[in-house]
Amino acid sequence: MKTMKTTTKMTTIKTTNKMKTMKKSIQALSLVAVLFMTSCTDDDAVTIINEEELITTVELELTNTADATNVVLFKSVDIDGEGPDDPIITVTGTVNASSTYLGEVRFLNESIAPSEDITEEVIEESNDHEVFYTTSITGLTITKTDVDANGNPLGVLSSFQTGAIGTGILTVVLRHEPIKPNDNTLIGAGGETDAEVSFTFEVE
Amino acid sequence: MFTKQLVVIAVFLSFCFSNAQECNLVLKGKILDFHDSKALEFAQIYVAQLQKTYISKADGSYEISGLCPGTYEISVSHYDCETKKTKLEIAQNRTLHIFLEHHISELETVKVLADVHDNHASTQSSTRIKAEKIQQYSGASLGDALATVPGVTSLKTGNSVVKPIVHGLYGSRVAIVNDGLRQQDQEWGIEHAPNIDINTASNIQIIKGASALRYGGDAIGGTILIEPARVISKDTLRGHAIIQGQTNGRGGSATTTINNYRASGWYQQATLTYKKLGDFEAPDYVLSNTGSETTAVNLGVGFKTFEYGASAKYSFYNSEIGILRASHIGNASDLVRSINSGQPLIINDFTYDIDAPKQQVAHHGLQFNAFKRFAGLGKLSMDYSFQFNNRKEFDIRRGANAGLASLDIDLQTQNISIYGMADAFENTTYEAGIDFMNQVNRPNAATGVRRLIPDYDAYKVGAFASVTHEPSEKWVLDAGLRYDRYAINATKFYLQSRWEDLGYDEQFAAFEIGREGNQIKTQPDFQYDLFAFTAGAKYLFDTHYDLAINLSSANRAPNPSELFSDGLHHALATIELGRLDLKKEQSYKVNATFHGNEGDLDFEINPYINFVNDFIQLVPTGLETTIRGAFPVFQYEQINARLYGIDLHATYDFYTKKPAEEINTRLDESLYKTVKLLSLETNLSYIHGTSTTADEPLIDMPPAQFQTQLTWYNALVDRLDFKLANQAVFQQNRFPDNNYDVSIPDDQGQLITSTVDISSTPAAYSLWNVGLSYAFAKANTKINLSSNNLFHTQYRNYLNRQRFYADEVGRDIQLQIIYNF
């Protein structure tokens, strides 16, 4: 009688080859590890951003129509923009009583060199901007002399008519996308304030 | 051993029977439970070729003798198990153990007790939102659906940006896990809604505490688990299509989900959603520039059997959201004008156009998952995911920059996690896992606006272990532990004046790496060790009552906004400053849940208390003046907070008797069946938050609110349901005084000192909603006609950041057609 070699096999229903699974797992893991380490980023150095639209300076220059040498400059400079330092306000020149001045306001960004004249953009987008002047001084009349593309007042150029001697406040406000036409009040005009500066105004 | 003899006998016998083949082979073995290798008695082994059935004995053993060599198809089945079919090659005697998946009924989501009170095997306080309710919100946002759960409210920025608040906490304190993937979509921002398409969810679970340790130990508010449709292993096509339209916003959405399942285990899932809305309308005016457009695509393919599986998923979410035009202001004077005016300062005609200010987000997610179950042990699964989130915010800009984004941030996150669960033991389940996260944040410098959040790289390595033990049928005990190491390295430019003003030139001089112009380049680098643990006990009195208490403790590291924030926020005209020396938050929360089911009444009471030490929040610290005007400065600070509250939920069902279709033929009388006639559901949540450091209330605490709904089933007509709901929100009388005074120029040229009242809270309000829904008998179709804010109530919501500018939306009428297949 031939002896037959038989072996009892113990198997489970899933005949998984453990080695095969292990190898596959290692392959998968290493692929994943590679993906993990290499993220799709550029390793360029982080560059500084100097904001171009930032208004650091508001200058209001008044020139006496009767005397071109009588120039008054109201200036507010906040060179650190949103930073904690307060704006520095300077007034040079003397405002005379009972006189007419031509006013020109300038909005500048002096945090970058060379400085940027934002007033140009205000004039280019005249329909979206308006400058407002309010004053507590009685007898001082301020009229906006320029207009936007639709014929509504703009306010970059103005005319100041002074009355009696006195002291008070002059506030210059630049509004972005105000309601136009409007009643020339801060409340009625709406829009967003891009600049709001108050100066002590002395009429001598 | 004795097979040799058997073979000898077989050979000998074969001579006797002059048989060419040896048909005395034996197949034997044991039928065992897959999970714990326990013997399965009375399992039936059916051999097709023999057309005979064999039964396993008490020890699970079976024996089939008299087999001829050949191929046999056997089918093994057992009560409460999935039948296993296999083909065997029998050439010699064979011992074969067969493992059956036993507890199949326990794996189903169908439970005897109400689904809403979930997790009878867990002690944490959690609530589930079912598919039917999710479908009702197919055209709304995820936050809107979550707000229906007691204890959850919404923090809104307008009607389209909705973030969930869980027990008073939101933002980075609430983790959103979408299909096992922790969402990384710049959730540190208050105006950043979760970038998730609600239509991919088949089931949402809200865990109100830090107990979901698997997904992170820093979710001290809670975790929201969004689960897609379960994979079924049979040949079937399932899904739904929903079209929804609404009058407020004059738009709607369309979504479709198709799930193709195969018995072999292969499946494909796809969900597509598109939503378009124009401006919303308040009762008295149009909310200009509040339109939105959203597109979402979710694709998944995978292979799943009980024992192993793998899947690959891709998700894409793109949304453009208009921000109320009137809410974009220049300075504190503008804010005062807005608050005093009582209505938006800019109101235009209705339009579908979305202009600046607006948000644009694109979120991509790629996920690979594989799992394997090990007989007698448990399950092991591995996940790899990649998320890419780009967020752009557009402000009103001037000149050449008009139309250019002011904020453009790319956030990339990769995550690998390994999770193991051992459930082979009698009454105990162990879970453990490790995960790695790598995150890269790159703001685009081309915006020309100083970065609100800087470039940073962060990584997190964590591990957790937890155990659930049921010593008897009446008790459930669980506990878990987690450790994470989180490191963040950023490169940030500070204005020199700000750096010095904050004292960082002394405190963090080591971070300085250079100077350029009036800015200083720094490289802050921080590491945090975060620990979390949870422990709880639940006692089941009988099938009707249970009481659970859960203690969870968690650490949360400060998020990038809290550390590095540095700039002007146009939404509220505030300068927000981060703090580099923030420490991690430490929270201790105790949640108690008492649930009862007494006949027609089902209720749950969930009181809780949460102590958060070093709680990070924004507090006003002063006023600053720039060329633009005056601004309050808010800085992140750490205080100790105590929050406590209670959520109540109750449902009372009224039943009626209706004649059944069958007639008892023996007694020749009609049979009756009880059907639900009316259902009254009510939720109450109350929360009390205090800063114990400052001895004043916490800001942004949701006011107490009641939500009640009456449902009338089969109202007048079969399958027509009528719903009437009310939401009553009280005024929040506990709030900190963050008002400040500012000099504002008036039209008389004076500078008037005005108090900017940003603290006072809106009045209480009550909203009524109604709905009709009709389910067609044959077509698997349902129509929902509903109206929110039926009475066009004018109101403002304390938790809507736009409450300073405009009222909430007015009446909305929605029509929704749902087709399920």
Side-chain angles (χ1 to χ4, degrees):
Chain A
M1 202 145 46
K2 233 173 149 186
T3 48
M4 287 181 63
K5 262 217 177 111
T6 53
T7 41
T8 4
K9 273 204 304 202
M10 288 261 295
T11 50
T12 56
I13 248 195
K14 330 172 254 57
T15 49
T16 40
N17 187 329
K18 282 213 168 130
M19 278 305 290
K20 210 167 153 199
T21 339
M22 189 106 92
K23 187 174 170 200
K24 269 195 181 158
S25 313
I26 292 173
Q27 282 177 340
L29 266 169
S30 49
L31 173 67
V32 159
V34 164
L35 277 172
F36 195 67
M37 294 308 129
T38 59
S39 41
C40 335
T41 56
D42 54 271
D43 285 322
D44 298 336
V46 178
T47 54
I48 191 171
I49 295 176
N50 287 306
E51 294 192 348
E52 291 163 0
E53 280 156 84
L54 182 67
I55 298 175
T56 62
T57 307
V58 176
E59 284 182 353
L60 174 64
E61 190 176 283
L62 300 178
T63 312
N64 195 325
T65 53
D67 174 8
T69 60
N70 178 212
V71 175
V72 188
L73 183 66
F74 297 88
K75 190 164 172 169
S76 177
V77 185
D78 185 7
I79 205 74
D80 72 347
E82 284 160 16
D85 295 343
D86 282 340
I88 298 171
I89 297 185
T90 51
V91 181
T92 49
T94 317
V95 182
N96 295 330
S98 304
S99 308
T100 310
Y101 290 85
L102 290 181
E104 185 188 343
V105 74
R106 286 185 290 273
F107 303 100
L108 307 171
N109 181 359
E110 295 183 315
S111 70
I112 51 177
S115 64
E116 173 116 4
D117 185 5
I118 297 189
T119 331
E120 289 172 3
E121 285 169 15
V122 172
I123 294 168
E124 266 170 35
E125 294 177 2
S126 56
N127 291 338
D128 291 337
H129 291 90
E130 190 167 346
V131 184
F132 294 86
Y133 302 89
T134 66
T135 179
S136 60
I137 298 171
T138 49
L140 173 61
T141 316
I142 306 169
T143 326
K144 293 184 250 206
T145 55
D146 57 354
V147 293
D148 67 14
N150 291 335
N152 293 312
L154 178 59
V156 171
L157 300 174
S158 53
S159 163
F160 280 62
Q161 184 101 34
T162 58
I165 294 175
T167 305
I169 303 166
L170 170 73
T171 305
V172 182
V173 176
L174 172 66
R175 286 273 167 89
H176 193 176
E177 294 193 7
I179 298 167
K180 283 195 177 193
N182 56 61
D183 59 3
N184 199 31
T185 62
L186 291 173
I187 289 185
E192 283 164 49
T193 307
D194 277 352
E196 187 180 284
V197 186
S198 295
F199 301 102
T200 308
F201 200 88
E202 285 177 3
V203 181
E204 293 172 24
Chain B
M1 266 100 347
F2 53 90
T3 39
K4 253 194 188 166
Q5 287 88 319
L6 260 174
V7 169
V8 167
I9 295 167
V11 170
F12 180 76
L13 281 173
S14 75
F15 283 159
C16 303
F17 290 105
S18 310
N19 221 339
Q21 280 184 325
E22 300 172 27
C23 283
N24 267 330
L25 298 179
V26 175
L27 172 68
K28 62 180 184 179
K30 285 201 175 156
I31 312 294
L32 303 169
D33 181 316
F34 188 93
H35 289 279
D36 51 17
S37 304
K38 276 233 184 79
L40 292 174
E41 191 185 4
F42 296 127
Q44 296 171 315
I45 305 107
Y46 175 71
V47 186
Q49 275 71 14
L50 302 179
Q51 293 194 331
K52 269 179 88 173
T53 303
Y54 300 82
I55 312 284
S56 66
K57 300 209 196 64
D59 64 350
S61 63
Y62 72 93
E63 186 173 317
I64 304 168
S65 52
L67 290 168
C68 306
T71 310
Y72 292 91
E73 282 161 32
I74 68 169
S75 177
V76 188
S77 58
H78 186 264
Y79 167 74
D80 218 23
C81 292
E82 198 173 88
T83 301
K84 192 160 229 166
K85 289 198 175 115
T86 188
K87 237 186 208 171
L88 289 178
E89 185 77 40
I90 306 283
Q92 53 217 9
N93 291 327
R94 205 161 157 181
T95 304
L96 181 69
H97 298 310
I98 300 170
F99 292 86
L100 291 184
E101 180 204 325
H102 189 204
H103 312 279
I104 191 167
S105 58
E106 291 180 29
L107 293 175
E108 296 290 316
T109 51
V110 173
K111 290 191 172 63
V112 174
L113 297 168
D115 268 9
V116 168
H117 310 286
D118 198 85
N119 276 330
H120 282 271
S122 154
T123 69
Q124 60 203 10
S125 165
S126 74
T127 306
R128 227 175 243 280
I129 303 177
K130 290 184 288 184
E132 198 191 324
K133 177 152 272 182
I134 293 171
Q135 283 190 346
Q136 276 174 34
Y137 285 88
S138 77
S141 68
L142 175 66
D144 294 324
L146 295 172
T148 59
V149 168
V152 180
T153 32
S154 302
L155 184 70
K156 300 165 101 158
T157 305
N159 210 43
S160 304
V161 177
V162 185
K163 284 177 87 76
I165 305 176
V166 180
H167 282 178
L169 304 174
Y170 57 84
S172 302
R173 299 188 182 100
V174 173
I176 297 185
V177 179
N178 188 8
D179 194 10
L181 174 64
R182 175 133 179 207
Q183 191 81 351
Q184 296 285 353
D185 56 0
Q186 308 187 39
E187 74 287 341
W188 41 258
I190 288 184
E191 332 82 62
H192 301 177
N195 303 149
I196 296 174
D197 176 15
I198 190 180
N199 295 299
T200 59
S202 151
N203 203 331
I204 301 177
Q205 185 183 5
I206 297 104
I207 298 166
K208 303 169 208 171
S211 305
L213 293 179
R214 177 174 173 184
Y215 302 104
D218 56 352
I220 66 177
T223 304
I224 294 168
L225 295 174
I226 298 169
E227 290 157 30
R230 285 182 76 85
V231 175
I232 307 167
S233 50
K234 56 182 184 179
D235 287 335
T236 179
L237 193 69
R238 294 249 179 118
H240 62 254
I242 305 178
I243 294 186
Q244 174 256 354
Q246 59 190 75
T247 56
N248 199 322
R250 304 188 208 175
S253 72
T255 179
T256 181
T257 297
I258 300 173
N259 297 325
N260 182 29
Y261 302 121
R262 291 263 152 267
S264 62
W266 282 99
Y267 65 90
Q268 299 91 39
Q269 291 177 309
T271 302
L272 300 164
T273 305
Y274 178 73
K275 178 169 137 182
K276 175 106 181 124
L277 290 168
D279 292 337
F280 285 111
E281 289 174 52
D284 295 333
Y285 41 80
V286 171
L287 298 167
S288 286
N289 201 51
T290 52
S292 66
E293 185 173 1
T294 307
T295 310
V297 173
N298 266 266
L299 303 168
V301 63
F303 179 79
K304 183 174 175 177
T305 64
F306 176 69
E307 282 151 37
Y308 59 93
S311 68
K313 288 175 211 170
Y314 170 69
S315 69
F316 171 67
Y317 180 91
N318 186 292
S319 186
E320 188 178 11
I321 301 173
I323 299 296
L324 183 73
R325 179 67 185 88
S327 72
H328 197 265
I329 53 175
N331 64 5
S333 315
D334 293 347
L335 182 56
V336 171
R337 271 189 300 126
S338 282
I339 292 173
N340 292 340
S341 126
Q343 67 173 37
L345 294 178
I346 299 176
I347 300 174
N348 296 325
D349 290 335
F350 173 87
T351 174
Y352 286 103
D353 293 341
I354 304 169
D355 294 323
K358 64 180 179 180
Q359 299 178 1
Q360 257 178 24
V361 251
H363 189 92
H364 300 258
L366 191 60
Q367 198 180 357
F368 298 101
N369 168 276
F371 77 89
K372 185 158 160 53
R373 284 187 198 265
F374 295 91
L377 194 60
K379 175 180 175 181
L380 186 70
S381 77
M382 229 184 78
D383 258 282
Y384 166 77
S385 71
F386 173 74
Q387 294 181 68
F388 178 77
N389 183 285
N390 172 270
R391 164 172 289 274
K392 291 190 175 71
E393 285 178 16
F394 295 83
D395 289 342
I396 314 284
R397 296 181 78 170
R398 192 179 8 251
N401 292 321
L404 195 63
S406 299
L407 181 105
D408 182 355
I409 300 182
D410 287 340
L411 182 69
Q412 278 180 48
T413 313
Q414 293 187 73
N415 197 293
I416 294 179
S417 66
I418 298 170
Y419 167 78
M421 173 179 68
D423 58 359
F425 310 97
E426 184 72 48
N427 297 314
T428 313
T429 305
Y430 297 94
E431 288 176 87
I434 50 174
D435 57 77
F436 310 87
M437 179 204 78
N438 183 43
Q439 188 168 76
V440 171
N441 187 65
R442 294 284 180 266
N444 186 353
T447 58
V449 176
R450 286 186 59 244
R451 303 166 182 89
L452 189 66
I453 300 289
D455 294 65
Y456 73 79
D457 285 51
Y459 77 83
K460 198 188 243 190
V461 178
F464 90 97
S466 73
V467 58
T468 307
H469 180 60
E470 293 177 47
S472 75
E473 263 176 30
K474 291 197 171 300
W475 280 98
V476 177
L477 305 169
D478 59 32
L481 205 62
R482 187 180 172 109
Y483 166 72
D484 283 281
R485 179 145 175 99
Y486 173 66
I488 181 165
N489 177 290
T491 305
K492 178 170 166 61
F493 283 93
Y494 280 91
L495 290 172
Q496 190 131 346
S497 53
R498 178 71 69 200
W499 183 254
E500 286 161 16
D501 182 63
L502 291 171
Y504 291 160
D505 53 341
E506 283 161 41
Q507 199 179 0
F508 294 111
F511 291 153
E512 296 179 27
I513 57 171
R515 267 164 214 233
E516 236 177 287
N518 67 344
Q519 297 189 45
I520 181 166
K521 191 172 186 180
T522 66
Q523 212 155 52
D525 190 72
F526 300 107
Q527 294 87 36
Y528 305 91
D529 289 304
L530 310 170
F531 298 92
F533 77 83
T534 178
K538 179 182 251 182
Y539 182 69
L540 296 114
F541 292 87
D542 47 42
T543 49
H544 299 298
Y545 296 95
D546 57 75
L547 172 68
I549 291 190
N550 178 284
L551 162 71
S552 60
S553 154
N555 278 155
R556 183 183 77 86
N559 67 34
S561 170
E562 290 159 343
L563 289 168
F564 306 120
S565 232
D566 178 18
L568 180 64
H569 281 239
H570 281 287
L572 272 182
T574 57
I575 291 177
E576 282 183 18
L577 299 176
R579 264 183 77 145
L580 292 178
D581 58 357
L582 289 172
K583 300 180 293 230
K584 62 190 182 188
E585 291 181 335
Q586 170 73 60
S587 128
Y588 299 99
K589 185 171 186 185
V590 179
N591 242 323
T593 316
F594 180 58
H595 167 233
N597 186 297
E598 190 65 77
D600 301 330
L601 174 70
D602 188 283
F603 65 90
E604 185 173 277
I605 303 170
N606 174 210
Y608 57 91
I609 184 161
N610 194 353
F611 295 94
V612 188
N613 293 336
D614 294 323
F615 183 81
I616 298 170
Q617 65 166 18
L618 271 180
V619 292
T621 55
L623 213 60
E624 270 180 19
T625 314
T626 68
I627 287 291
R628 206 193 274 267
F631 299 88
V633 179
F634 277 70
Q635 196 173 12
Y636 282 97
E637 290 203 344
Q638 305 204 258
I639 48 131
N640 291 334
R642 180 191 64 222
L643 296 95
Y644 62 79
I646 187 162
D647 298 331
L648 291 164
H649 172 91
T651 311
Y652 191 77
D653 295 324
F654 300 84
Y655 289 85
T656 187
K657 274 192 183 160
K658 267 192 144 175
E661 283 92 49
E662 320 95 66
I663 303 244
N664 185 341
T665 45
R666 262 188 294 155
L667 299 175
D668 199 27
E669 63 182 20
S670 306
L671 292 177
Y672 287 87
K673 58 181 181 181
T674 46
V675 291
K676 209 185 276 195
L677 178 68
L678 281 179
S679 182
L680 182 68
E681 188 181 335
T682 184
N683 288 336
L684 162 70
S685 21
Y686 170 76
I687 181 165
H688 183 279
T690 308
S691 159
T692 52
T693 311
D695 196 25
E696 63 174 17
L698 282 178
I699 197 168
D700 290 339
M701 285 290 114
Q705 69 170 355
F706 265 107
Q707 284 173 303
T708 311
Q709 177 168 299
L710 181 70
T711 313
W712 183 13
Y713 297 93
N714 301 311
L716 309 172
V717 176
D718 261 354
R719 292 183 308 280
L720 178 73
D721 297 336
F722 173 73
K723 285 180 193 137
L724 180 67
N726 173 267
Q727 184 186 21
V729 178
F730 294 83
Q731 179 165 12
Q732 176 57 274
N733 292 318
R734 294 189 74 252
F735 52 87
D737 183 356
N738 287 343
N739 293 347
Y740 56 94
D741 287 341
V742 74
S743 279
I744 295 175
D746 70 0
D747 284 299
Q748 283 68 49
Q750 300 292 345
L751 290 175
I752 307 289
T753 305
S754 301
T755 304
V756 186
D757 183 5
I758 52 169
S759 310
S760 294
T761 56
Y765 57 89
S766 172
L767 301 173
W768 290 91
N769 306 331
V770 292
L772 269 176
S773 85
Y774 182 69
F776 289 89
K778 300 286 181 192
N780 272 334
T781 306
K782 199 166 175 188
I783 293 190
N784 285 334
L785 177 67
S786 61
S787 176
N788 291 332
N789 193 359
L790 180 68
F791 297 115
H792 224 30
T793 307
Q794 183 188 18
Y795 69 102
R796 298 206 180 187
N797 178 351
Y798 175 48
L799 298 167
N800 187 342
R801 309 238 309 159
Q802 290 184 354
R803 65 187 167 91
F804 302 105
Y805 309 105
D807 292 336
E808 293 282 325
V809 300
R811 181 188 310 123
D812 180 34
I813 300 174
Q814 280 195 30
L815 179 68
Q816 196 183 35
I817 302 173
I818 304 172
Y819 172 59
N820 278 303
F821 57 88

